[in-house]
Amino acid sequence: MRKSPRQQLLEHYRAHARDLPWRTPPGAKAAPDPYHVWLSEVMLQQTTVATVAPRFDAFLARWPTVEAMAAAPLEEVLGQWAGLGYYARARNLHACAVAVAGRGGFPDSEAGLRALPGIGDYTAAAVAAIAFGREAVVVDTNVERVVARYFAIRRPVKDARAEIRERAAFFYEGVDAGAMAQALMDLGATICRPRTPDCAACPLADTCAAHAGGDPASIPPRPPRKARPERHGTAFVIERDGAIFLVRRPEKGVLGGMAALPGSAWRDGAPPAPAAAAAAIRHVFTHFALTLAVESRPEPPRDVEGWWQPRDRLAQAGLPTLYVKALAAFDAARGAPSLLP
DNA sequence: GACCCGTGGTC
DNA sequence: TGACCAAGGGT
């Protein structure tokens, strides 16, 4: 008698599950802490496991409970998040912690979780299933790809999302939704990969329509990519008594709310001419590429609010990667050792 | 629904 | 080496 695809997948997961700091071992009795599940799921949004793992530990060490995080100033949470990108997540993380602490704990239902800041369809379903053992259909991009291939749904994901979700429910029928979610996501990350699926290692290959069709990598079809425009600007390094003048970026927009070097607005187009500045870096964001000149200035611009950050405490300023790179390039051009990691 | 929003790894 | 990709959410 053949095992069901669901059981084959769950057995494969139990045998191959990666050891992640926020994951209770498959078959563990104790339910995971909802705070840990929520924090890891938000950190993992559009971010790889390898990047998140050490940063998750650091967050937990600094704020052991959701109440502790809620009691921290927003600026400290943003600083702890520095380098992880998509900084709206950090603002929403703090807002969510405040809401949860205020109501005395996490909601234990998908709908209750979905109403919190920074928790969308995916995260609500994942936390409800993994932390609270709720029935849920957890669908992320991994699950979309696995399901599209398993049922050979060849339309672009954005057109087939409703069908993919209906089909995904097949995998969640009658099983632990939290375990199935993690099993499907692990499968997508390690075997049913976007460009190079390893069907020889896949526990679902026997019954997978895309594998039978002979070209699983072509499912789902990839939408044409959009052009990435160029922008350019200048950042100022202003030093006084071993400290650097920093500012805080506006709440909305790129690097919203983060600590930053002061500088010019970023203009459209490639930089006019290389050279003048002491240093320059190139940084690629999601939807534009930036060439940033880095220049020394004697004084802060008038009417610009900011603070003097001692060089030996630069790491505590919580600078996003763009400005870490800018300062490193500036110091290198000057022949000085960098104090940044 | 289209667009905005980071960063590091991979090939 | 540039393009692709990642446990998405907000507007």
Side-chain angles (χ1 to χ4, degrees):
Chain A
M1 187 177 74
R2 300 185 61 83
K3 290 169 182 162
S4 73
R6 281 183 290 268
Q7 293 307 322
Q8 290 181 248
L9 179 55
L10 287 173
E11 286 182 15
H12 182 275
Y13 167 61
R14 282 192 280 270
H16 296 91
R18 290 176 288 179
D19 183 23
L20 305 177
W22 51 81
R23 181 184 274 168
T24 53
K29 292 295 183 188
D33 185 334
Y35 172 59
H36 297 186
V37 176
W38 162 73
L39 177 59
S40 64
E41 290 297 341
V42 173
M43 296 183 88
L44 285 164
Q45 291 166 8
Q46 299 291 284
T47 307
T48 59
V49 166
T51 298
V52 166
R55 304 297 302 267
F56 172 83
D57 288 340
F59 263 78
L60 219 54
R62 183 159 182 179
W63 299 300
T65 65
V66 68
E67 290 80 12
M69 184 185 292
L74 171 61
E75 290 72 22
E76 290 190 10
V77 175
L78 289 172
Q80 190 72 33
W81 194 274
L84 278 171
Y86 286 135
Y87 297 99
R89 290 186 296 168
R91 296 194 297 275
N92 287 327
L93 189 80
H94 184 257
C96 187
V98 170
V100 168
R103 70 185 295 287
F106 283 90
D108 65 356
S109 73
E110 189 173 343
L113 291 159
R114 180 66 179 80
L116 292 167
I119 299 187
D121 290 341
Y122 162 75
T123 305
V127 175
I130 296 169
F132 296 110
R134 293 280 195 160
E135 291 183 15
V137 178
V138 185
V139 181
D140 75 328
T141 56
N142 286 302
V143 179
E144 284 179 346
R145 183 174 59 257
V146 170
V147 169
R149 285 179 178 166
Y150 189 78
F151 295 104
I153 301 168
R154 297 174 188 279
R155 288 174 292 146
V157 169
K158 75 174 168 54
D159 299 333
R161 192 151 281 142
E163 180 184 354
I164 289 173
R165 186 183 172 78
E166 288 174 21
R167 294 285 203 164
F170 163 81
F171 284 99
Y172 287 92
E173 283 172 14
V175 299
D176 180 322
M180 178 55 74
Q182 294 175 82
L184 282 166
M185 291 189 286
D186 274 13
L187 187 77
T190 63
I191 293 175
C192 196
R193 297 169 301 218
R195 288 190 280 187
T196 55
D198 182 10
C199 297
C202 181
L204 300 178
D206 286 352
T207 49
C208 175
H211 180 241
D215 188 13
S218 69
I219 301 175
R222 231 189 59 70
R225 62 180 175 79
K226 285 177 298 184
R228 200 194 312 270
E230 294 284 337
R231 294 185 191 172
H232 68 278
T234 303
F236 306 140
V237 178
I238 308 158
E239 296 181 275
R240 176 194 292 174
D241 300 333
I244 293 181
F245 187 74
L246 298 182
V247 300
R248 192 162 293 282
R249 295 181 58 87
E251 282 288 316
K252 292 184 180 292
V254 179
L255 308 178
M258 297 300 291
L261 291 173
S264 71
W266 301 342
R267 296 167 171 267
D268 290 337
I281 59 162
R282 181 177 168 78
H283 191 78
V284 179
F285 290 96
T286 305
H287 59 293
F288 67 93
L290 177 70
T291 302
L292 189 67
V294 192
E295 298 177 353
S296 177
R297 288 284 172 104
E299 296 289 337
R302 301 174 191 279
D303 305 326
V304 172
E305 289 191 25
W307 69 95
W308 294 97
Q309 184 77 24
R311 266 200 175 261
D312 57 7
R313 290 207 296 275
L314 262 183
Q316 284 73 51
L319 286 171
T321 299
L322 170 69
Y323 296 109
V324 173
K325 284 166 63 177
L327 277 171
F330 181 85
D331 287 340
R334 198 167 53 170
S338 176
L339 291 173
L340 287 161

